[in-house]
Amino acid sequence: MKNTTLCYLEQNGCWLLLNRNKKENDENNGKWVGVGGKCEEGESPEDCVRREVREETGLTLTRWRYRGLITFVSNVYGTQYMHLFTSDSFSGTLAEDCAEGELAWVEKWAAEDLPMWEGDRIFLHLLEHGAPFFSLKLVYQGDRLAAAVLNGDEYRI
């Protein structure tokens, strides 16, 4: 099973988002997501998120919070565990070009209006409302969210 990380960097009421629009065979193609990627052999989720943020944005995380574990189940892409992080402390200069897509600071209230996975709206809501560490299972049929389970209980979509 694939392990990935995703980090939402926060600054001045905005999230740093990535419009995944540069790789044709990207399962996130055309969607706005946080910054992250696949864990490499021997990496912890923390190692991976620091590396992925640096590679994709040019920024170095100086503080981060591990916020939740998302289990994605898909009839198209298989199953993966995604380790969800936020960070409000980082250094460096934001890269002007990212090999994965377009980086943009987006006001938190406006982020949910962008094209994104339906389940991402659920965990962005949880992040924004300060939910303690959570486990969220998202079941997709194609691009449609078919079920969500938060901390073992059905979540009404």
Side-chain angles (χ1 to χ4, degrees), residues 20-32:
R20 303 285 299 228
N21 59 8
K22 289 192 177 176
K23 293 182 177 178
E24 198 170 305
N25 294 324
D26 185 339
E27 62 194 49
N28 294 304
N29 189 32
K31 295 189 172 45
W32 289 83

Side-chain angles (χ1 to χ4, degrees), residues 61-113:
L61 297 180
T62 55
R63 183 176 60 230
W64 59 89
R65 283 183 57 202
Y66 190 0
R67 304 294 299 273
L69 179 62
I70 315 298
T71 304
F72 284 102
V73 179
S74 167
N75 66 330
V76 176
Y77 303 111
T79 300
Q80 71 172 275
Y81 289 135
M82 185 190 74
H83 305 272
L84 182 64
F85 293 85
T86 56
S87 175
D88 62 1
S89 182
F90 40 88
S91 63
T93 302
L94 186 63
E96 291 185 24
D97 188 44
C98 173
E100 306 292 331
E102 170 194 351
L103 291 165
W105 289 101
V106 177
E107 292 187 38
K108 291 179 180 182
W109 62 266
E112 292 186 21
D113 293 332

